[in-house]
Amino acid sequence: MNATTINAPRTSFMRKLAWDPLIWLILGIVILGSLTSPYYLTLQNFDTLMRSMAVIGLLALGVTVVLLTGRIDLSVAAIMIFSVILAVVLTNAVGEALGLRWLVKGSTFVGSSWIFVALTILIGGLAGLVNGIGVAWLKVSSFIMTLVMLTALRGGNFILSSGRPYYLQTPAIDWIGTATIFGVPFSFWVFLAVLVFLAWLIGATTFGRRIYAVGGNEKAAAYAGLKTDRYVLIAFVISGLCSAIAGVIFTARLRSVDAPLASGYELTAIAIAVIGGTALSGGIGSPWRTLLGAMAFAGGLNLLSIWGIGTWYQNLAVGLALLVAVGLSPASRQKIRL
């Protein structure tokens, strides 16, 4: 094997990367931002950008895994907030059982951060499991199942919190929300860690190949002997776990959690996954492409914020971006197993 043969795959990869529309879109956003605002290329703005991308990126990663199976998850944002609120309530109950007062002044949480974090992630996984059981075993449409879950958990958020915010006042939560490592926010390192793990799981393992098989042609996968329901269920559990991790870093940054938070984030997550090339019909996409989608999406919204564009217009931009991404993706126009 000569040097030309060895370098051929690298050359092909670099050529594809150079012609990737998402790369050019990201570069265009950066150039436009640098030309229109002196604040866009500042360290402070990049810090803000990475913290925002960590949250929506984690949600999009979970959605990507579900979309690869040909399903959809509309409940990711509701799970993100519900898991945090229920974890606060349960942690406070643990404190009462131990004779400790961990919720003071009515709504200020000062309890064990690590019990809170562990419970949050567990609750997110369980919520994803409920979605998975409904879709995979009870054969409920994923659109209906996750829409019902979204509605139920939004209502549960208000019931558990009595419509009031919980203020998270502990050193560990403060550290999660504000810490930087080598100048990069801790939350972004968490996002990268989840990204690398899922990229390996989906791209380099038998599990990942079977996820693609389920999304590409589920009947053929079932005839080949794959237990397709099992992989659909696991995909929803992964989505729930990603949502819960996003909930921890999102609320740690705010140092509070409130029932109405993150409304509409589920559409943002879907938009990022689709912009990154994940097909709504299943079987096409990857976590790495979702990273590019998150970079383009977060960079664009960040630029709109710097320009002073209001939230409602940003929401309009999210909808338009999703519409364009779906319209430009031939795979997304195939029959969708919702």
Side-chain angles (χ1 to χ4, degrees), residues 125-148:
L126 289 175
L129 180 64
V130 172
N131 276 335
I133 290 173
V135 174
W137 291 354
L138 301 181
K139 304 304 179 183
V140 180
S141 158
S142 63
F143 181 89
I144 298 299
M145 182 67 205
T146 58
L147 181 61
V148 169

Side-chain angles (χ1 to χ4, degrees), residues 12-278:
S12 177
F13 172 77
M14 294 304 296
R15 187 180 293 116
K16 289 180 180 179
L17 192 63
W19 288 101
D20 193 316
L22 270 179
I23 298 295
W24 287 102
L25 176 59
I26 293 168
L27 288 175
I29 291 171
V30 172
I31 293 171
L32 184 60
S34 64
L35 292 176
T36 57
S37 172
Y39 304 106
Y40 193 79
L41 294 182
T42 62
L43 292 176
Q44 181 178 2
N45 188 54
F46 279 131
D47 181 89
T48 301
L49 186 59
M50 285 187 287
R51 294 182 190 278
S52 299
M53 193 164 71
V55 175
I56 59 175
L58 281 165
L59 293 179
L61 286 174
V63 167
T64 297
V65 178
V66 172
L67 287 177
L68 287 175
T69 69
R71 274 72 177 181
I72 197 167
D73 191 349
L74 298 174
S75 65
V76 288
I79 291 175
M80 179 172 76
I81 301 303
F82 175 80
S83 58
V84 173
I85 290 178
L86 181 56
V88 170
V89 172
L90 292 179
T91 305
N92 182 52
V94 171
E96 290 181 352
L98 297 176
L100 303 172
R101 189 180 183 188
W102 282 348
L103 197 66
V104 299
K105 297 180 181 178
S107 59
T108 300
F109 174 74
V110 295
S112 170
S113 301
W114 304 116
I115 292 178
F116 157 74
V117 170
L119 283 173
T120 299
I121 295 174
L122 176 62
I123 292 164
L126 289 175
L129 180 64
V130 172
N131 276 335
I133 290 173
V135 174
W137 291 354
L138 301 181
K139 304 304 179 183
V140 180
S141 158
S142 63
F143 181 89
I144 298 299
M145 182 67 205
T146 58
L147 181 61
V148 169
M149 181 67 82
L150 180 154
T151 305
L153 295 187
R154 287 292 185 193
N157 290 341
F158 282 96
I159 293 171
L160 291 171
S161 65
S162 301
R164 300 176 301 175
Y166 286 127
Y167 299 99
L168 311 176
Q169 304 292 329
T170 74
I173 291 175
D174 181 62
W175 186 87
I176 292 171
T178 61
T180 60
I181 300 175
F182 302 117
V184 176
F186 172 75
S187 56
F188 193 75
W189 285 115
V190 173
F191 165 61
L192 288 180
V194 174
L195 168 67
V196 170
F197 172 75
L198 288 180
W200 167 80
L201 183 68
I202 299 299
T205 68
T206 301
F207 171 83
R209 289 191 290 273
R210 290 177 177 177
I211 284 287
Y212 281 113
V214 170
N217 191 326
E218 188 167 353
K219 287 186 178 180
Y223 289 145
L226 295 185
K227 297 184 182 298
T228 58
D229 292 348
R230 177 185 301 172
Y231 295 97
V232 171
L233 186 146
I234 293 174
F236 276 101
V237 171
I238 290 173
S239 182
L241 291 172
C242 287
S243 298
I245 296 171
V248 171
I249 62 177
F250 179 59
T251 54
R253 182 184 177 190
L254 299 176
R255 300 183 191 178
S256 65
V257 60
D258 198 5
L261 281 176
S263 178
Y265 274 40
E266 57 280 338
L267 293 183
T268 299
I270 294 170
I272 288 172
V274 174
I275 288 171
T278 302

Side-chain angles (χ1 to χ4, degrees), residues 21 25 274-275 277 320-333:
L25 176 59
V274 174
I275 288 171
L320 290 175
L322 182 57
L323 180 64
V324 171
V326 172
L328 293 177
S329 173
S332 295
R333 293 195 291 269

